Amino acid sequence: DGGQRSRSRHILVSPDPGCKPCEAHDKSQIEGCNLHKCHEKLCVDGEWADWGAWEPCSATCAGGQTWRSRTVKVEANECGHAGTGASMEHKVCNAEVPCEPSV
């Protein structure tokens, strides 16, 4: 893991003839950087939110349909698993309620 960085320098003003030369230093330097371990990829599994309330029954007697749904609470990332189960449930409702003719 990691990489490297470098820097270089040059003489801005050369000494006049007979003057003391510049102090000797490296013209360029290279060193490692960010040598620590990169974060390991954590897999995040998906999660469903709680179920919503049941919707009103489609019939007041002799049976109808109702349903409820839920949304994704946590999205799975590329190495995680999607939440299990359906996003919607259906069931029969008011099946035991007899229909009475209108008077």
Side-chain angles (χ1 to χ4, degrees):
D1 292 338
Q4 64 183 34
R5 62 182 175 185
S6 63
R7 66 181 182 171
S8 61
R9 60 182 169 186
H10 60 279
I11 297 172
L12 288 175
V13 178
S14 296
D16 289 331
C19 293
K20 182 178 175 186
C22 296
E23 201 174 315
H25 290 289
D26 292 334
K27 184 177 176 183
S28 63
Q29 295 176 328
I30 298 174
E31 69 179 7
C33 60
N34 295 327
L35 300 174
H36 58 278
K37 274 281 200 200
C38 292
H39 295 289
E40 291 186 26
K41 185 72 174 175
L42 294 178
C43 295
V44 177
D45 291 336
E47 291 181 39
W48 289 108
D50 292 335
W51 285 104
W54 287 101
E55 293 296 319
C57 191
S58 63
T60 57
C61 61
Q65 291 286 320
T66 184
W67 59 274
R68 66 181 181 170
S69 63
R70 60 185 176 175
T71 58
V72 174
K73 180 178 178 180
V74 176
E75 290 279 349
N77 67 3
E78 60 276 355
C79 63
H81 300 285
T84 57
S87 63
M88 190 173 289
E89 287 184 328
H90 294 86
K91 71 177 183 177
V92 174
C93 53
N94 292 336
E96 70 288 346
V97 179
C99 290
E100 298 189 16
S102 298
V103 180

